[in-house]
Amino acid sequence: MTQSRKHQASRSLLVRLSKDTPLDSLLQYCNSQGRVKHYFTYFQKQAHYVVVEFSSPDTVQQISQKAHNSDGRPGSQHSKEVAETRFLSFSRPLKQREKTLGVKEEPTILNKDLNSSELLFSIAQAKTVDEQLELLVRNQELRDAETRLRFLACSLMEEAFQRILPDATLHPFGSSVNGFGKRSCDVDMYLDRGTAQGVVPQKQGRNTYKLSYDRQSAHSERAATQSTLFTLAEFLERHVPQCSFVTRILRARCPLVKFKHQATGLACDLTGDNRIALKSSEMLYIYGRLDPRVRPLVFMVRHWARLNGITHSNPGYWITNYPLTLLVLFFLQTRPEPVLPALSKIALFEPVLEGMEEEEKDVELVFSNAPHIPASRNTETPTELLREFFHFCASFPFEKYALSVHHGSTYLKPVTGKALPLYIENPLELELNTCKNVTGNLVDRLRRLSREAVKTMDQLEFYQCDGDSSRVHSWGLGVLLVGSVHGKGRKRSAAMEKKLGAMFKALGKRDYSTYPNVDSWWHRSLYNGHRPR
């Protein structure tokens, strides 16, 4: 999947349409240069953008060269300071603008999650809790255009970096590729420098960069990563269009540079010392495809945990999405009839080579057995598994045992000088605890909220849909999610019940016959200025 997406991105242009220039003018021009295989449009901060994929990368190179050679300033100071990329602007000549009106494009908003009210209205259309779980995934997962945009952003950055690192390659990882990403998720990028050991890019003058040998980088991969990222951060700030808010976090365990790509609206994290993350992303992707119940369960647990303050977008004492997903996978591995196999049964795993420095550690992980894994004989429904997951979290002795997705079993926690309230082993680096920052109070919170969730799901009313979309908060996932949003599990007020009911009834009166899903309705309402409150 990743390779095909990379090929799509390499054959694509990102184009900003100037004001009053219709889409069909751009498409007419593109088709005159080569065959257009696919395109989509979106709006970002009131600007209209189009991603155009051609059948051949040669067409992309041809159009890019024409655009950069026709800016009227070859060899100018401007051309030296701005890296040439496949991000272009298109404007129809003034004399042609009044001849055809073109088709006015309906705005499409990408990389934006539904808010709580919109999500509740969406799942209100379901008849069962299982259907609600499927709708939850459908309204949160990355759509095709959002996935394409993430790979294109990565490809554009790779193209820019190759100006000073000719053999560099960028690989997206994390939520953008592992199958569990939400529409608002960041783009994680891993940089492979493609240079000899100790050779890093260094700034030589105002606009000049050279590959140079650095003695400290030659003896430490971490030092090489820090030096490279420092230089690339400055390069992003000064020379790469549409990149802003560049932040260096070079002393972290995995040094990184954070920045915003304005044209796509994507927040990006660039790291150069995180090879293991590529394999982790592949592992999660494989597990998400082994059984159709995995993704609905993970999406629901992540959403519930975020609403209840168990996870958080900022670093701290919270559980992050990765170990939380591992917790769900472990639960599915250890059912009386397992839903998922242990990692060691589906992958060839090679331990770290002896004698390597800590920062140079790597693994070989080959999922050669994954296509041949027999289907699970577990017959529990997604709803039943959700209830059992909460029961598992409420009763498991986290204070005593470590959880291993690699082996699909538990073991006594390692004895350390520091208390470890939660120990979820990293499946690819078995000596590491993915939850070493988590506090005992948070584990207690997880237990308490899980007990409340079990009690909620044990009520008969939880499963009774009365067909009234205004009462989504009275049954099914709405009870769990609304309780989390409004009061963190406390009893909801009658006023809130009345407000939600009135809102859902008003939404239900709209004609959805022309809109295939809630997202289309939401985008139309934004365009018409009728954003629901």
Side-chain angles (χ1 to χ4, degrees), residues 158 161-162 164-171 190-201 211-212 214 216-229 231-232 270-275 359-360:
E158 178 182 88
F161 291 155
Q162 285 175 349
I164 60 175
L165 275 170
D167 297 319
T169 53
L170 273 182
H171 306 279
Y190 165 69
L191 172 73
D192 185 345
R193 297 189 305 276
T195 60
Q197 187 173 359
V199 177
V200 295
L211 292 177
S212 305
D214 177 69
Q216 186 176 3
S217 298
H219 293 88
S220 170
E221 179 64 22
R222 179 177 177 83
T225 297
Q226 291 172 320
S227 175
T228 300
L229 292 181
T231 301
L232 290 182
L270 173 68
T271 179
D273 187 20
N274 203 12
R275 297 181 184 90
E359 61 266 26
E360 296 175 329

mmCIF file of all heavy atoms in Angstrom, residues 158 161-162 164-171 190-201 211-212 214 216-229 231-232 270-275 359-360:
data_model
loop_
_atom_site.group_PDB
_atom_site.id
_atom_site.type_symbol
_atom_site.label_atom_id
_atom_site.label_comp_id
_atom_site.label_asym_id
_atom_site.label_seq_id
_atom_site.Cartn_x
_atom_site.Cartn_y
_atom_site.Cartn_z
ATOM 1 N N GLU A 158 10.481 15.693 0.498
ATOM 2 C CA GLU A 158 11.617 14.906 0.008
ATOM 3 C C GLU A 158 12.283 15.603 -1.168
ATOM 4 O O GLU A 158 13.513 15.718 -1.238
ATOM 5 C CB GLU A 158 11.143 13.519 -0.401
ATOM 6 C CG GLU A 158 12.238 12.623 -0.965
ATOM 7 C CD GLU A 158 11.693 11.278 -1.407
ATOM 8 O OE1 GLU A 158 11.253 11.164 -2.575
ATOM 9 O OE2 GLU A 158 11.686 10.338 -0.583
ATOM 10 N N PHE A 161 14.270 18.584 0.179
ATOM 11 C CA PHE A 161 15.474 18.201 0.920
ATOM 12 C C PHE A 161 16.570 17.674 0.005
ATOM 13 O O PHE A 161 17.757 17.782 0.320
ATOM 14 C CB PHE A 161 15.134 17.153 1.973
ATOM 15 C CG PHE A 161 14.297 17.675 3.114
ATOM 16 C CD1 PHE A 161 13.479 16.828 3.852
ATOM 17 C CD2 PHE A 161 14.314 19.013 3.457
ATOM 18 C CE1 PHE A 161 12.711 17.304 4.894
ATOM 19 C CE2 PHE A 161 13.556 19.510 4.499
ATOM 20 C CZ PHE A 161 12.744 18.648 5.226
ATOM 21 N N GLN A 162 16.171 17.089 -1.117
ATOM 22 C CA GLN A 162 17.183 16.538 -2.036
ATOM 23 C C GLN A 162 18.041 17.630 -2.666
ATOM 24 O O GLN A 162 19.062 17.334 -3.277
ATOM 25 C CB GLN A 162 16.491 15.702 -3.111
ATOM 26 C CG GLN A 162 16.009 14.354 -2.596
ATOM 27 C CD GLN A 162 15.221 13.565 -3.609
ATOM 28 O OE1 GLN A 162 14.843 14.088 -4.669
ATOM 29 N NE2 GLN A 162 14.965 12.299 -3.320
ATOM 30 N N ILE A 164 19.763 19.638 -0.885
ATOM 31 C CA ILE A 164 20.994 19.643 -0.091
ATOM 32 C C ILE A 164 21.385 18.234 0.368
ATOM 33 O O ILE A 164 22.484 18.031 0.858
ATOM 34 C CB ILE A 164 20.864 20.569 1.136
ATOM 35 C CG1 ILE A 164 19.734 20.117 2.052
ATOM 36 C CG2 ILE A 164 20.657 22.004 0.703
ATOM 37 C CD1 ILE A 164 19.646 20.927 3.341
ATOM 38 N N LEU A 165 20.467 17.277 0.208
ATOM 39 C CA LEU A 165 20.755 15.866 0.502
ATOM 40 C C LEU A 165 20.314 15.056 -0.712
ATOM 41 O O LEU A 165 19.203 14.507 -0.738
ATOM 42 C CB LEU A 165 19.993 15.407 1.754
ATOM 43 C CG LEU A 165 20.621 15.665 3.115
ATOM 44 C CD1 LEU A 165 19.611 15.365 4.224
ATOM 45 C CD2 LEU A 165 21.877 14.816 3.310
ATOM 46 N N PRO A 166 21.128 14.954 -1.725
ATOM 47 C CA PRO A 166 20.704 14.395 -3.018
ATOM 48 C C PRO A 166 20.112 12.995 -2.953
ATOM 49 O O PRO A 166 19.244 12.648 -3.759
ATOM 50 C CB PRO A 166 22.003 14.411 -3.843
ATOM 51 C CG PRO A 166 22.839 15.468 -3.214
ATOM 52 C CD PRO A 166 22.528 15.428 -1.766
ATOM 53 N N ASP A 167 20.560 12.162 -2.028
ATOM 54 C CA ASP A 167 20.080 10.781 -1.961
ATOM 55 C C ASP A 167 19.099 10.553 -0.818
ATOM 56 O O ASP A 167 18.822 9.397 -0.448
ATOM 57 C CB ASP A 167 21.267 9.823 -1.807
ATOM 58 C CG ASP A 167 22.193 9.865 -3.011
ATOM 59 O OD1 ASP A 167 21.670 9.925 -4.147
ATOM 60 O OD2 ASP A 167 23.419 9.839 -2.829
ATOM 61 N N ALA A 168 18.571 11.628 -0.264
ATOM 62 C CA ALA A 168 17.656 11.495 0.864
ATOM 63 C C ALA A 168 16.301 10.942 0.415
ATOM 64 O O ALA A 168 15.843 11.204 -0.701
ATOM 65 C CB ALA A 168 17.452 12.859 1.529
ATOM 66 N N THR A 169 15.673 10.177 1.306
ATOM 67 C CA THR A 169 14.306 9.702 1.085
ATOM 68 C C THR A 169 13.502 9.931 2.359
ATOM 69 O O THR A 169 14.038 9.848 3.470
ATOM 70 C CB THR A 169 14.267 8.207 0.721
ATOM 71 O OG1 THR A 169 14.984 7.459 1.714
ATOM 72 C CG2 THR A 169 14.880 7.960 -0.641
ATOM 73 N N LEU A 170 12.228 10.247 2.173
ATOM 74 C CA LEU A 170 11.325 10.457 3.299
ATOM 75 C C LEU A 170 10.260 9.369 3.285
ATOM 76 O O LEU A 170 9.694 9.060 2.234
ATOM 77 C CB LEU A 170 10.650 11.826 3.213
ATOM 78 C CG LEU A 170 11.378 13.031 3.814
ATOM 79 C CD1 LEU A 170 10.519 14.279 3.655
ATOM 80 C CD2 LEU A 170 11.715 12.808 5.263
ATOM 81 N N HIS A 171 9.971 8.821 4.459
ATOM 82 C CA HIS A 171 8.981 7.754 4.582
ATOM 83 C C HIS A 171 7.922 8.168 5.592
ATOM 84 O O HIS A 171 8.245 8.423 6.764
ATOM 85 C CB HIS A 171 9.643 6.456 5.045
ATOM 86 C CG HIS A 171 10.801 6.031 4.204
ATOM 87 N ND1 HIS A 171 10.643 5.363 3.005
ATOM 88 C CD2 HIS A 171 12.148 6.183 4.377
ATOM 89 C CE1 HIS A 171 11.835 5.110 2.481
ATOM 90 N NE2 HIS A 171 12.758 5.604 3.287
ATOM 91 N N TYR A 190 9.885 10.008 8.410
ATOM 92 C CA TYR A 190 11.214 9.510 8.775
ATOM 93 C C TYR A 190 12.187 9.809 7.638
ATOM 94 O O TYR A 190 11.928 9.479 6.475
ATOM 95 C CB TYR A 190 11.173 8.012 9.047
ATOM 96 C CG TYR A 190 12.553 7.374 9.072
ATOM 97 C CD1 TYR A 190 13.439 7.659 10.105
ATOM 98 C CD2 TYR A 190 12.969 6.533 8.047
ATOM 99 C CE1 TYR A 190 14.710 7.106 10.117
ATOM 100 C CE2 TYR A 190 14.232 5.965 8.063
ATOM 101 C CZ TYR A 190 15.098 6.264 9.093
ATOM 102 O OH TYR A 190 16.356 5.715 9.103
ATOM 103 N N LEU A 191 13.300 10.460 7.953
ATOM 104 C CA LEU A 191 14.305 10.833 6.962
ATOM 105 C C LEU A 191 15.439 9.822 6.931
ATOM 106 O O LEU A 191 16.081 9.569 7.949
ATOM 107 C CB LEU A 191 14.874 12.220 7.297
ATOM 108 C CG LEU A 191 16.083 12.664 6.461
ATOM 109 C CD1 LEU A 191 15.643 13.032 5.048
ATOM 110 C CD2 LEU A 191 16.805 13.832 7.124
ATOM 111 N N ASP A 192 15.670 9.259 5.760
ATOM 112 C CA ASP A 192 16.866 8.440 5.517
ATOM 113 C C ASP A 192 17.830 9.318 4.725
ATOM 114 O O ASP A 192 17.578 9.659 3.568
ATOM 115 C CB ASP A 192 16.485 7.188 4.723
ATOM 116 C CG ASP A 192 17.667 6.231 4.531
ATOM 117 O OD1 ASP A 192 18.819 6.661 4.753
ATOM 118 O OD2 ASP A 192 17.440 5.071 4.157
ATOM 119 N N ARG A 193 18.943 9.701 5.360
ATOM 120 C CA ARG A 193 19.858 10.677 4.743
ATOM 121 C C ARG A 193 20.471 10.167 3.451
ATOM 122 O O ARG A 193 20.760 10.935 2.542
ATOM 123 C CB ARG A 193 20.984 11.038 5.727
ATOM 124 C CG ARG A 193 20.519 11.712 6.991
ATOM 125 C CD ARG A 193 21.708 12.239 7.792
ATOM 126 N NE ARG A 193 22.698 11.223 8.080
ATOM 127 C CZ ARG A 193 22.627 10.377 9.104
ATOM 128 N NH1 ARG A 193 21.585 10.436 9.924
ATOM 129 N NH2 ARG A 193 23.564 9.481 9.321
ATOM 130 N N GLY A 194 20.744 8.884 3.375
ATOM 131 C CA GLY A 194 21.380 8.332 2.184
ATOM 132 C C GLY A 194 22.817 8.742 2.026
ATOM 133 O O GLY A 194 23.364 8.757 0.915
ATOM 134 N N THR A 195 23.481 9.087 3.145
ATOM 135 C CA THR A 195 24.884 9.502 3.107
ATOM 136 C C THR A 195 25.761 8.500 3.852
ATOM 137 O O THR A 195 25.272 7.673 4.626
ATOM 138 C CB THR A 195 25.063 10.884 3.759
ATOM 139 O OG1 THR A 195 24.634 10.810 5.132
ATOM 140 C CG2 THR A 195 24.239 11.933 3.039
ATOM 141 N N ALA A 196 27.050 8.598 3.611
ATOM 142 C CA ALA A 196 28.007 7.758 4.325
ATOM 143 C C ALA A 196 28.037 8.162 5.795
ATOM 144 O O ALA A 196 27.639 9.273 6.170
ATOM 145 C CB ALA A 196 29.394 7.888 3.700
ATOM 146 N N GLN A 197 28.522 7.257 6.624
ATOM 147 C CA GLN A 197 28.584 7.528 8.059
ATOM 148 C C GLN A 197 29.438 8.757 8.350
ATOM 149 O O GLN A 197 30.563 8.881 7.878
ATOM 150 C CB GLN A 197 29.158 6.310 8.785
ATOM 151 C CG GLN A 197 29.112 6.425 10.300
ATOM 152 C CD GLN A 197 29.540 5.139 10.973
ATOM 153 O OE1 GLN A 197 29.860 4.159 10.313
ATOM 154 N NE2 GLN A 197 29.553 5.140 12.288
ATOM 155 N N GLY A 198 28.855 9.686 9.097
ATOM 156 C CA GLY A 198 29.576 10.899 9.458
ATOM 157 C C GLY A 198 29.400 12.047 8.494
ATOM 158 O O GLY A 198 29.839 13.164 8.779
ATOM 159 N N VAL A 199 28.751 11.811 7.352
ATOM 160 C CA VAL A 199 28.543 12.872 6.362
ATOM 161 C C VAL A 199 27.160 13.478 6.580
ATOM 162 O O VAL A 199 26.145 12.782 6.504
ATOM 163 C CB VAL A 199 28.662 12.338 4.926
ATOM 164 C CG1 VAL A 199 28.368 13.438 3.916
ATOM 165 C CG2 VAL A 199 30.051 11.766 4.695
ATOM 166 N N VAL A 200 27.138 14.774 6.860
ATOM 167 C CA VAL A 200 25.885 15.471 7.156
ATOM 168 C C VAL A 200 25.855 16.790 6.391
ATOM 169 O O VAL A 200 26.900 17.335 6.023
ATOM 170 C CB VAL A 200 25.743 15.748 8.673
ATOM 171 C CG1 VAL A 200 25.641 14.445 9.454
ATOM 172 C CG2 VAL A 200 26.901 16.599 9.181
ATOM 173 N N PRO A 201 24.655 17.343 6.137
ATOM 174 C CA PRO A 201 24.574 18.647 5.464
ATOM 175 C C PRO A 201 24.898 19.770 6.437
ATOM 176 O O PRO A 201 24.464 19.759 7.594
ATOM 177 C CB PRO A 201 23.113 18.709 5.009
ATOM 178 C CG PRO A 201 22.384 17.879 6.019
ATOM 179 C CD PRO A 201 23.328 16.774 6.405
ATOM 180 N N LEU A 211 27.546 18.925 1.789
ATOM 181 C CA LEU A 211 27.722 17.723 2.588
ATOM 182 C C LEU A 211 29.151 17.706 3.111
ATOM 183 O O LEU A 211 30.101 17.805 2.327
ATOM 184 C CB LEU A 211 27.458 16.468 1.738
ATOM 185 C CG LEU A 211 26.005 16.249 1.293
ATOM 186 C CD1 LEU A 211 25.901 15.016 0.404
ATOM 187 C CD2 LEU A 211 25.097 16.089 2.499
ATOM 188 N N SER A 212 29.283 17.602 4.415
ATOM 189 C CA SER A 212 30.602 17.658 5.039
ATOM 190 C C SER A 212 30.760 16.519 6.030
ATOM 191 O O SER A 212 29.777 16.017 6.595
ATOM 192 C CB SER A 212 30.810 19.004 5.755
ATOM 193 O OG SER A 212 30.594 20.079 4.874
ATOM 194 N N ASP A 214 31.629 15.144 9.563
ATOM 195 C CA ASP A 214 31.616 15.636 10.937
ATOM 196 C C ASP A 214 32.076 14.504 11.852
ATOM 197 O O ASP A 214 31.463 13.429 11.891
ATOM 198 C CB ASP A 214 30.199 16.084 11.314
ATOM 199 C CG ASP A 214 30.096 16.543 12.752
ATOM 200 O OD1 ASP A 214 30.663 17.592 13.073
ATOM 201 O OD2 ASP A 214 29.444 15.832 13.553
ATOM 202 N N GLN A 216 32.074 14.060 15.093
ATOM 203 C CA GLN A 216 31.156 13.619 16.137
ATOM 204 C C GLN A 216 30.021 12.765 15.554
ATOM 205 O O GLN A 216 29.633 11.750 16.124
ATOM 206 C CB GLN A 216 30.559 14.829 16.871
ATOM 207 C CG GLN A 216 29.697 14.454 18.069
ATOM 208 C CD GLN A 216 29.204 15.681 18.827
ATOM 209 O OE1 GLN A 216 29.469 16.805 18.419
ATOM 210 N NE2 GLN A 216 28.506 15.459 19.922
ATOM 211 N N SER A 217 29.524 13.150 14.378
ATOM 212 C CA SER A 217 28.454 12.390 13.731
ATOM 213 C C SER A 217 28.927 11.022 13.279
ATOM 214 O O SER A 217 28.138 10.076 13.191
ATOM 215 C CB SER A 217 27.911 13.171 12.528
ATOM 216 O OG SER A 217 27.355 14.404 12.937
ATOM 217 N N ALA A 218 30.200 10.905 12.991
ATOM 218 C CA ALA A 218 30.743 9.619 12.548
ATOM 219 C C ALA A 218 30.721 8.586 13.660
ATOM 220 O O ALA A 218 30.684 7.379 13.405
ATOM 221 C CB ALA A 218 32.162 9.806 12.027
ATOM 222 N N HIS A 219 30.749 9.033 14.910
ATOM 223 C CA HIS A 219 30.794 8.110 16.039
ATOM 224 C C HIS A 219 29.452 7.974 16.744
ATOM 225 O O HIS A 219 29.344 7.207 17.702
ATOM 226 C CB HIS A 219 31.853 8.585 17.049
ATOM 227 C CG HIS A 219 33.250 8.504 16.525
ATOM 228 N ND1 HIS A 219 33.836 9.551 15.804
ATOM 229 C CD2 HIS A 219 34.183 7.519 16.580
ATOM 230 C CE1 HIS A 219 35.056 9.205 15.468
ATOM 231 N NE2 HIS A 219 35.306 7.974 15.922
ATOM 232 N N SER A 220 28.447 8.705 16.289
ATOM 233 C CA SER A 220 27.143 8.649 16.958
ATOM 234 C C SER A 220 26.022 8.940 15.967
ATOM 235 O O SER A 220 25.979 10.027 15.381
ATOM 236 C CB SER A 220 27.091 9.658 18.116
ATOM 237 O OG SER A 220 25.783 9.785 18.616
ATOM 238 N N GLU A 221 25.136 7.978 15.778
ATOM 239 C CA GLU A 221 23.988 8.191 14.891
ATOM 240 C C GLU A 221 23.080 9.289 15.435
ATOM 241 O O GLU A 221 22.491 10.061 14.673
ATOM 242 C CB GLU A 221 23.202 6.890 14.742
ATOM 243 C CG GLU A 221 21.970 6.986 13.862
ATOM 244 C CD GLU A 221 22.290 7.312 12.419
ATOM 245 O OE1 GLU A 221 23.437 7.056 11.983
ATOM 246 O OE2 GLU A 221 21.395 7.828 11.723
ATOM 247 N N ARG A 222 22.987 9.375 16.750
ATOM 248 C CA ARG A 222 22.154 10.420 17.351
ATOM 249 C C ARG A 222 22.717 11.815 17.039
ATOM 250 O O ARG A 222 21.969 12.730 16.698
ATOM 251 C CB ARG A 222 22.073 10.215 18.863
ATOM 252 C CG ARG A 222 21.239 11.275 19.581
ATOM 253 C CD ARG A 222 21.136 10.980 21.069
ATOM 254 N NE ARG A 222 20.410 12.028 21.784
ATOM 255 C CZ ARG A 222 19.092 12.096 21.870
ATOM 256 N NH1 ARG A 222 18.354 11.178 21.270
ATOM 257 N NH2 ARG A 222 18.503 13.066 22.533
ATOM 258 N N ALA A 223 24.028 11.955 17.136
ATOM 259 C CA ALA A 223 24.654 13.235 16.813
ATOM 260 C C ALA A 223 24.455 13.583 15.344
ATOM 261 O O ALA A 223 24.203 14.742 14.993
ATOM 262 C CB ALA A 223 26.138 13.201 17.157
ATOM 263 N N ALA A 224 24.542 12.585 14.468
ATOM 264 C CA ALA A 224 24.326 12.816 13.043
ATOM 265 C C ALA A 224 22.885 13.268 12.782
ATOM 266 O O ALA A 224 22.633 14.164 11.972
ATOM 267 C CB ALA A 224 24.641 11.545 12.257
ATOM 268 N N THR A 225 21.943 12.647 13.480
ATOM 269 C CA THR A 225 20.540 13.018 13.327
ATOM 270 C C THR A 225 20.297 14.436 13.808
ATOM 271 O O THR A 225 19.622 15.234 13.139
ATOM 272 C CB THR A 225 19.649 12.038 14.118
ATOM 273 O OG1 THR A 225 19.794 10.730 13.574
ATOM 274 C CG2 THR A 225 18.192 12.456 14.062
ATOM 275 N N GLN A 226 20.842 14.769 14.974
ATOM 276 C CA GLN A 226 20.649 16.116 15.516
ATOM 277 C C GLN A 226 21.241 17.179 14.605
ATOM 278 O O GLN A 226 20.628 18.221 14.356
ATOM 279 C CB GLN A 226 21.265 16.207 16.916
ATOM 280 C CG GLN A 226 20.524 15.396 17.968
ATOM 281 C CD GLN A 226 21.258 15.354 19.294
ATOM 282 O OE1 GLN A 226 22.487 15.236 19.336
ATOM 283 N NE2 GLN A 226 20.509 15.454 20.388
ATOM 284 N N SER A 227 22.434 16.933 14.091
ATOM 285 C CA SER A 227 23.086 17.895 13.205
ATOM 286 C C SER A 227 22.287 18.069 11.912
ATOM 287 O O SER A 227 22.078 19.193 11.433
ATOM 288 C CB SER A 227 24.508 17.430 12.883
ATOM 289 O OG SER A 227 25.131 18.284 11.945
ATOM 290 N N THR A 228 21.825 16.947 11.345
ATOM 291 C CA THR A 228 21.066 16.996 10.098
ATOM 292 C C THR A 228 19.750 17.733 10.284
ATOM 293 O O THR A 228 19.382 18.595 9.480
ATOM 294 C CB THR A 228 20.797 15.573 9.587
ATOM 295 O OG1 THR A 228 22.039 14.910 9.342
ATOM 296 C CG2 THR A 228 19.979 15.602 8.302
ATOM 297 N N LEU A 229 19.027 17.415 11.355
ATOM 298 C CA LEU A 229 17.738 18.054 11.588
ATOM 299 C C LEU A 229 17.889 19.543 11.875
ATOM 300 O O LEU A 229 17.038 20.351 11.478
ATOM 301 C CB LEU A 229 16.999 17.366 12.742
ATOM 302 C CG LEU A 229 16.518 15.933 12.481
ATOM 303 C CD1 LEU A 229 15.774 15.392 13.693
ATOM 304 C CD2 LEU A 229 15.616 15.875 11.246
ATOM 305 N N THR A 231 20.119 21.529 10.567
ATOM 306 C CA THR A 231 20.321 22.178 9.271
ATOM 307 C C THR A 231 19.031 22.197 8.458
ATOM 308 O O THR A 231 18.678 23.201 7.833
ATOM 309 C CB THR A 231 21.430 21.460 8.479
ATOM 310 O OG1 THR A 231 22.645 21.481 9.239
ATOM 311 C CG2 THR A 231 21.677 22.136 7.140
ATOM 312 N N LEU A 232 18.301 21.090 8.459
ATOM 313 C CA LEU A 232 17.069 21.017 7.687
ATOM 314 C C LEU A 232 16.004 21.976 8.228
ATOM 315 O O LEU A 232 15.199 22.517 7.459
ATOM 316 C CB LEU A 232 16.525 19.587 7.687
ATOM 317 C CG LEU A 232 17.334 18.551 6.893
ATOM 318 C CD1 LEU A 232 16.659 17.195 6.952
ATOM 319 C CD2 LEU A 232 17.506 18.995 5.444
ATOM 320 N N LEU A 270 9.134 15.686 11.635
ATOM 321 C CA LEU A 270 10.254 15.109 10.889
ATOM 322 C C LEU A 270 11.266 14.537 11.867
ATOM 323 O O LEU A 270 11.743 15.234 12.761
ATOM 324 C CB LEU A 270 10.908 16.191 10.021
ATOM 325 C CG LEU A 270 12.196 15.806 9.295
ATOM 326 C CD1 LEU A 270 11.917 14.772 8.209
ATOM 327 C CD2 LEU A 270 12.856 17.055 8.700
ATOM 328 N N THR A 271 11.592 13.265 11.694
ATOM 329 C CA THR A 271 12.592 12.629 12.541
ATOM 330 C C THR A 271 13.572 11.851 11.674
ATOM 331 O O THR A 271 13.237 11.435 10.561
ATOM 332 C CB THR A 271 11.932 11.684 13.563
ATOM 333 O OG1 THR A 271 12.948 11.063 14.370
ATOM 334 C CG2 THR A 271 11.137 10.584 12.871
ATOM 335 N N GLY A 272 14.771 11.677 12.163
ATOM 336 C CA GLY A 272 15.781 10.959 11.386
ATOM 337 C C GLY A 272 16.416 9.838 12.160
ATOM 338 O O GLY A 272 17.419 9.260 11.727
ATOM 339 N N ASP A 273 15.872 9.491 13.304
ATOM 340 C CA ASP A 273 16.482 8.455 14.144
ATOM 341 C C ASP A 273 15.376 7.579 14.712
ATOM 342 O O ASP A 273 15.283 7.364 15.908
ATOM 343 C CB ASP A 273 17.287 9.109 15.279
ATOM 344 C CG ASP A 273 18.078 8.078 16.083
ATOM 345 O OD1 ASP A 273 18.307 6.975 15.557
ATOM 346 O OD2 ASP A 273 18.440 8.383 17.230
ATOM 347 N N ASN A 274 14.525 7.075 13.821
ATOM 348 C CA ASN A 274 13.336 6.376 14.286
ATOM 349 C C ASN A 274 12.944 5.262 13.318
ATOM 350 O O ASN A 274 11.773 5.118 12.963
ATOM 351 C CB ASN A 274 12.180 7.382 14.436
ATOM 352 C CG ASN A 274 11.123 6.895 15.402
ATOM 353 O OD1 ASN A 274 11.321 5.930 16.123
ATOM 354 N ND2 ASN A 274 9.986 7.555 15.391
ATOM 355 N N ARG A 275 13.923 4.478 12.894
ATOM 356 C CA ARG A 275 13.635 3.397 11.941
ATOM 357 C C ARG A 275 12.608 2.420 12.482
ATOM 358 O O ARG A 275 11.816 1.854 11.747
ATOM 359 C CB ARG A 275 14.924 2.633 11.609
ATOM 360 C CG ARG A 275 16.002 3.445 10.922
ATOM 361 C CD ARG A 275 17.218 2.584 10.618
ATOM 362 N NE ARG A 275 18.307 3.367 10.051
ATOM 363 C CZ ARG A 275 19.250 3.960 10.781
ATOM 364 N NH1 ARG A 275 19.216 3.872 12.102
ATOM 365 N NH2 ARG A 275 20.210 4.636 10.192
ATOM 366 N N GLU A 359 21.750 4.180 20.005
ATOM 367 C CA GLU A 359 21.004 4.973 19.044
ATOM 368 C C GLU A 359 20.991 4.339 17.664
ATOM 369 O O GLU A 359 20.299 4.802 16.770
ATOM 370 C CB GLU A 359 21.570 6.398 18.950
ATOM 371 C CG GLU A 359 23.010 6.469 18.506
ATOM 372 C CD GLU A 359 23.964 6.512 19.694
ATOM 373 O OE1 GLU A 359 23.586 6.013 20.761
ATOM 374 O OE2 GLU A 359 25.069 7.057 19.541
ATOM 375 N N GLU A 360 21.769 3.265 17.436
ATOM 376 C CA GLU A 360 21.813 2.633 16.129
ATOM 377 C C GLU A 360 20.960 1.371 16.064
ATOM 378 O O GLU A 360 20.949 0.674 15.066
ATOM 379 C CB GLU A 360 23.272 2.270 15.776
ATOM 380 C CG GLU A 360 24.180 3.480 15.634
ATOM 381 C CD GLU A 360 25.628 3.077 15.413
ATOM 382 O OE1 GLU A 360 26.018 2.009 15.925
ATOM 383 O OE2 GLU A 360 26.340 3.806 14.724
#
